[in-house]
Amino acid sequence: MPEMPDLPDFDPKRTRRAVRRGLFRTVAIVLAVLALLTVAATEGSSLLQTRGDREARMQAVLGTAFKIYSPAYTVTIDSCCQTTPASMSFEVVARPMGPVGAWPAGSESYTISQDLFGRVRRLPLGHTANTRLSQSLLNLGTRLTTKDEARAVLARLPADLSALAVVEFEQPLGEADLKAFVKRYRSCAEQVVYERRPGSLPITWGFDYWTDALDLGKGGDMTEEVCGGSLPQFRDWVGLLRDHDNANLRSFDLSLDRLRKAAEAGLAHGYVDQLSSVRELRELLKDPKVRTVRLAGVTFDLDRPRP
C-alpha cells in the first residue's frame, strides 16, 4: 500500500488569500451575470415596447391628446421615446398662450409615460389650468359675458391693443362657412372649438396639433389650412384611434365617443383668436353670427402696422 504524502503545514496567510480570491471570483461572476441580465432586460423591454410603430403611434396619439387637453398652451413635443424596463416616455414643453407678439413668461416640462401594458398616468393642466384662456373656453356655451358685456369691455381698451380672445358663434358653422367668416374679417382660427360643453373644456383642434399630418414642403399659401380649422386633419387623427385607446384618452379628459361625434359633425362652435386687435374684435361683435367675444389677454404689439 503506497504511503500517503505528508500534509503541508497550515499557512493562515495563504488560506486567507485563497478565500479572498474565491470570494472576489464569486462576486465578479455574480455581478457579470446581473449586468448581463440587466442589459438583456433593458434591451429586451426596449425592443418589446418599440416594436412595429409603437413609438410613432404613442407620440401621435398621446402627444396630440395632450394638446387637445391643454388648449390654453402652446405645446412642443420632444423626440420619442425614452425606454426603461417598465415604461416608455417622451417630454413635452407647455407655454401659456398670449396674443401674437407677446410671449407669457414661464414654461413647464412634463413627461408623458406609458407602462408595459400601454397605460398612461394622468397629467397636470387640463381643466385644472387656471389661465384666462382656459376660463374663457370653460365658459363657452354659458350665459357669462354677453355680447353687451363684451362690447363694454372692449370699449374701455385702446383700439390698437393686440388681443387673445375666444370668439363664440350664435350657431355653429360648418367648414366652408368658418373659412368664409375668418377670410371676411382677416382673422385666423388657429384653434377651433368643435364641441360645446358649458363648464368643461371642449374639444379644440389646431392646425399643428398632429404634426404627422403637416406637409410643410408642399409650398403655396398655407393660410387657409392654418386659419380654417384643419378639419380634414382632425378627422384623419380621430380615424387613427382604436377602441383600446379609450382608457388612455380618459387620462386627458377625452373619450372616443366625444371625439368621433365632434369629428363627424365638423361644426365650429367658436375659435381662439390670437391675431385680432381690440378694434377688429369690436367689428366681429357686430356680426349676427357672433354670440360673444371673451377676452383672455391684451398687449401692445410694437410690430403691428397702424392705419
Side-chain angles (χ1 to χ4, degrees):
M1 182 175 177
E3 294 183 1
M4 295 291 292
D6 294 335
L7 293 174
D9 293 335
F10 177 72
D11 187 340
K13 290 183 179 180
R14 292 181 61 185
T15 302
R16 284 194 293 269
R17 285 197 295 270
V19 171
R20 282 197 294 267
R21 284 196 300 270
L23 287 174
F24 290 151
R25 190 180 301 115
T26 302
V27 170
I29 292 172
V30 171
L31 290 176
V33 170
L34 288 176
L36 288 173
L37 289 175
T38 300
V39 171
T42 301
E43 293 301 317
S45 173
S46 177
L47 291 173
L48 177 66
Q49 294 185 79
T50 59
R51 69 188 184 277
D53 65 345
R54 290 191 81 224
E55 287 182 288
R57 194 174 190 281
M58 175 185 177
Q59 193 169 40
V61 174
L62 303 185
T64 303
F66 184 79
K67 291 183 178 182
I68 298 174
Y69 175 70
S70 311
Y73 292 79
T74 299
V75 177
T76 304
I77 301 176
D78 287 347
S79 59
C80 187
C81 295
Q82 294 80 46
T83 59
T84 71
S87 67
M88 183 164 64
S89 63
F90 61 92
E91 300 291 317
V92 296
V93 178
R95 178 186 293 273
M97 288 175 59
V100 167
W103 291 95
S107 61
E108 294 288 341
S109 296
Y110 303 96
T111 300
I112 297 178
S113 177
Q114 66 178 23
D115 61 25
L116 280 172
F117 302 101
R119 293 293 177 257
V120 64
R121 61 181 176 82
R122 194 171 183 84
L123 289 160
L125 301 186
H127 67 275
T128 64
N130 190 25
T131 70
R132 291 187 65 87
L133 181 53
S134 298
Q135 291 300 317
S136 296
L137 289 166
L138 283 165
N139 292 336
L140 191 141
T142 69
R143 297 182 180 275
L144 299 173
T145 314
T146 65
K147 204 167 190 176
D148 287 340
E149 290 170 338
R151 191 176 291 113
V153 170
L154 293 171
R156 295 197 299 266
L157 297 171
D160 286 343
L161 290 182
S162 300
L164 173 68
V166 175
V167 178
E168 182 179 354
F169 296 124
E170 190 68 50
Q171 298 295 329
L173 302 183
E175 184 181 19
D177 290 336
L178 174 64
K179 289 180 177 179
F181 181 90
V182 296
K183 185 176 181 179
R184 176 184 175 186
Y185 289 102
R186 298 181 181 178
S187 184
C188 186
E190 289 187 59
Q191 288 175 268
V192 177
V193 183
Y194 283 112
E195 183 185 44
R196 182 170 283 170
R197 283 179 89 212
S200 301
L201 279 178
I203 291 171
T204 62
W205 184 264
F207 82 100
D208 62 345
Y209 274 21
W210 186 25
T211 54
D212 291 0
L214 293 178
D215 186 3
L216 300 178
K218 68 181 181 182
D221 184 7
M222 288 189 65
T223 302
E224 184 171 312
E225 181 177 353
V226 171
C227 296
S230 302
L231 182 59
Q233 284 184 21
F234 179 36
R235 286 173 168 165
D236 286 346
W237 180 77
V238 172
L240 173 74
L241 304 176
R242 299 293 178 262
D243 290 345
H244 63 78
D245 293 314
N246 205 37
N248 282 341
L249 290 172
R250 292 189 184 283
S251 295
F252 299 95
D253 292 335
L254 297 169
S255 72
L256 269 176
D257 184 56
R258 284 174 52 213
L259 286 164
R260 287 169 175 168
K261 284 181 178 178
E264 182 180 1
L267 297 175
H269 296 267
Y271 66 93
V272 177
D273 190 331
Q274 288 183 270
L275 290 180
S276 295
S277 66
V278 168
R279 176 186 292 107
E280 289 161 341
L281 291 179
R282 291 172 186 169
E283 290 301 311
L284 282 177
L285 272 174
K286 296 176 183 177
D287 194 304
K289 292 187 178 70
V290 175
R291 184 185 187 197
T292 191
V293 171
R294 293 183 172 84
L295 201 61
V298 292
T299 188
F300 190 82
D301 184 358
L302 296 175
D303 297 319
R304 179 188 288 275
R306 307 300 166 189

